[in-house]
Amino acid sequence: MPDKDWFTEFYDAEGCAIGLRVRALLHEERSAYQHIAIWDTTHWGRLMVIDGCIMLTSRDNFVYHEMMSHPALFSHPAPRRVAIIGGGDCGTLREVLRHPEVEHCVQVEIDERVTRLAEQYFPELCEANDDPRAELRFEDGIRWMAARPQASLDVVIIDSTDPVGPAEGLFRREFYASCRRALAPGGLLVQQTESPLLHADSIIRGVHDELRAAGFAAARTLHFPQPVYPSGWWSATLAGRDAAPELIRSEAAARPPFATRYYSLGVHQGALALPPFLQAALSD
Ligand code: AG3
């Protein structure tokens, strides 16, 4: 098969790559912030790539988006006010708005083009964008968060790209401190934290340390498969403003009032079970 039929993300830092066979390049542009490409693949539906990094495919994004939203929302006693930082494809927003307790969910994405292209090429991810509880903002999430009134949010979800370039500041204690300030008592934060296999001692450990430095009480990392991201294995880290995050609404989690494809009570509990190497990397 000639190379031109494949899109490959080369993950040079770890000497590995992930490839998908493609049929056509549907769109390509350089926005004010980054290079964005949309491909049609032969087996994975559509593919969005930002600066050479795979963001999502139609086929497997449900795993990531459900794990970025449902564990946090079922761990908060009453998640009414939610903010998503990044998440421009709107997949996380859609999952958040499945929760009837949510009264308002604001998505703060720096690059409006990501959302406009998602509307066009991934309309299924954008089906909740017209929900009256949804607010779409296009601005710098770090600055937006720093300007939030104190105790005005219940859950903060950071759905970012890798911690290089524009997203780097989203992995630092200064940003976490503004998140913590904006969270009401009992508030929770969740962030995508890259690969357990590749980044346990670096990024994931670093996020735990930065969260603690910012005043969060405790953090717990969940892991799940994500075939199109480097190593095929991914993570999200949950942190509690005042206490360790616990799955306190387990009855609701056992019977969600909406359909899920990956998330379940058992999956949530299993995702929190850390293999020894990861436990060791994250213990004090
Ligand atoms: N999530 C992107 C996670 C980072 C992927 N990294 C990579 N391919 N090197 C954002 C998109 C989903 N809403």
Side-chain angles (χ1 to χ4, degrees), residues 24 101 193 198 255:
E101 298 79 10
T193 42
L198 309 179
R255 271 174 295 281

PDB file of all heavy atoms in Angstrom, residues 24 101 193 198 255:
ATOM      1  N   ALA A  24      -9.544  10.391   1.284  1.00  0.00           N
ATOM      2  CA  ALA A  24      -9.454  11.740   0.714  1.00  0.00           C
ATOM      3  C   ALA A  24      -9.198  12.768   1.803  1.00  0.00           C
ATOM      4  O   ALA A  24      -9.635  12.602   2.945  1.00  0.00           O
ATOM      5  CB  ALA A  24     -10.777  12.080   0.008  1.00  0.00           C
ATOM      6  N   GLU A 101     -28.930  17.070  35.426  1.00  0.00           N
ATOM      7  CA  GLU A 101     -28.608  17.996  36.529  1.00  0.00           C
ATOM      8  C   GLU A 101     -27.889  19.243  36.026  1.00  0.00           C
ATOM      9  O   GLU A 101     -27.871  20.265  36.712  1.00  0.00           O
ATOM     10  CB  GLU A 101     -27.677  17.327  37.553  1.00  0.00           C
ATOM     11  CG  GLU A 101     -28.241  16.113  38.256  1.00  0.00           C
ATOM     12  CD  GLU A 101     -28.175  14.848  37.401  1.00  0.00           C
ATOM     13  OE1 GLU A 101     -27.521  14.851  36.336  1.00  0.00           O
ATOM     14  OE2 GLU A 101     -28.810  13.854  37.812  1.00  0.00           O
ATOM     15  N   THR A 193      -4.852  13.456  30.392  1.00  0.00           N
ATOM     16  CA  THR A 193      -3.450  13.473  30.844  1.00  0.00           C
ATOM     17  C   THR A 193      -2.557  12.488  30.074  1.00  0.00           C
ATOM     18  O   THR A 193      -1.623  11.913  30.643  1.00  0.00           O
ATOM     19  CB  THR A 193      -3.348  13.225  32.366  1.00  0.00           C
ATOM     20  OG1 THR A 193      -4.258  12.179  32.755  1.00  0.00           O
ATOM     21  CG2 THR A 193      -3.705  14.470  33.140  1.00  0.00           C
ATOM     22  N   LEU A 198       3.347   5.902  28.207  1.00  0.00           N
ATOM     23  CA  LEU A 198       4.418   6.796  27.774  1.00  0.00           C
ATOM     24  C   LEU A 198       4.687   7.939  28.753  1.00  0.00           C
ATOM     25  O   LEU A 198       5.778   8.493  28.764  1.00  0.00           O
ATOM     26  CB  LEU A 198       4.074   7.409  26.397  1.00  0.00           C
ATOM     27  CG  LEU A 198       3.667   6.443  25.283  1.00  0.00           C
ATOM     28  CD1 LEU A 198       3.347   7.207  24.001  1.00  0.00           C
ATOM     29  CD2 LEU A 198       4.771   5.420  25.034  1.00  0.00           C
ATOM     30  N   ARG A 255     -27.230   3.276  36.564  1.00  0.00           N
ATOM     31  CA  ARG A 255     -28.374   3.363  35.645  1.00  0.00           C
ATOM     32  C   ARG A 255     -28.449   4.767  35.071  1.00  0.00           C
ATOM     33  O   ARG A 255     -29.350   5.536  35.416  1.00  0.00           O
ATOM     34  CB  ARG A 255     -29.672   3.052  36.394  1.00  0.00           C
ATOM     35  CG  ARG A 255     -30.042   1.580  36.408  1.00  0.00           C
ATOM     36  CD  ARG A 255     -31.243   1.312  37.287  1.00  0.00           C
ATOM     37  NE  ARG A 255     -30.909   1.603  38.691  1.00  0.00           N
ATOM     38  CZ  ARG A 255     -30.213   0.767  39.474  1.00  0.00           C
ATOM     39  NH1 ARG A 255     -29.800  -0.378  39.013  1.00  0.00           N
ATOM     40  NH2 ARG A 255     -29.929   1.103  40.720  1.00  0.00           N
TER      41      ARG A 255
END
